[in-house]
Amino acid sequence: MDHPGWYPTRQQELLLRAALLDGDSARESWKEWRSAIDIDLIDLGSQRLLPLLYRNLNRLEIEDPSADTRTKAFTSWPGIRIRCCSAKSPLS
């Protein structure tokens, strides 16, 4: 079945589930998403969800053995914005 262009792809849906759900649903979505994607090639919309994903993985005590997700989460735009906005000015 074809979906409208704004509808999430299967990979995006898995990422959303891993980032937002609890328990086994989040864990299974995470495992399936992680095995289906190359984190260096994910789309911009998915990149924006990485900080949320990382927070949920931490909350659920799920570790990414490659640590790529953590690195990507904090080098993506939302991560940079959070770090920049929370940094103190060297002049203060």
Side-chain angles (χ1 to χ4, degrees):
M1 180 164 108
D2 289 333
H3 295 291
W6 53 264
Y7 199 84
T9 65
R10 175 69 180 144
Q11 286 81 18
Q12 290 168 334
E13 186 177 330
L14 288 168
L15 176 57
L16 284 165
R17 292 174 56 82
L20 298 172
L21 296 180
D22 287 321
D24 290 338
S25 296
R27 284 180 181 84
E28 291 305 314
S29 295
W30 161 246
K31 288 177 190 175
E32 190 175 340
W33 180 77
R34 191 66 178 100
S35 68
I37 58 95
D38 177 347
I39 200 156
D40 293 321
L41 301 176
I42 63 173
D43 62 276
L44 182 59
S46 295
Q47 287 177 24
R48 291 178 180 157
L49 292 173
L50 292 180
L52 182 62
L53 171 66
Y54 179 66
R55 176 184 248 172
N56 204 35
L57 295 179
N58 274 343
R59 186 178 65 79
L60 297 171
E61 298 179 351
I62 300 171
E63 293 190 27
D64 180 4
S66 68
D68 285 342
T69 304
R70 180 179 179 174
T71 301
K72 293 288 182 181
F74 288 99
T75 57
S76 65
W77 166 241
I80 292 169
R81 193 179 77 194
I82 290 167
R83 285 185 297 162
C84 290
C85 294
S86 63
K88 291 189 177 193
S89 168
L91 301 175
S92 56

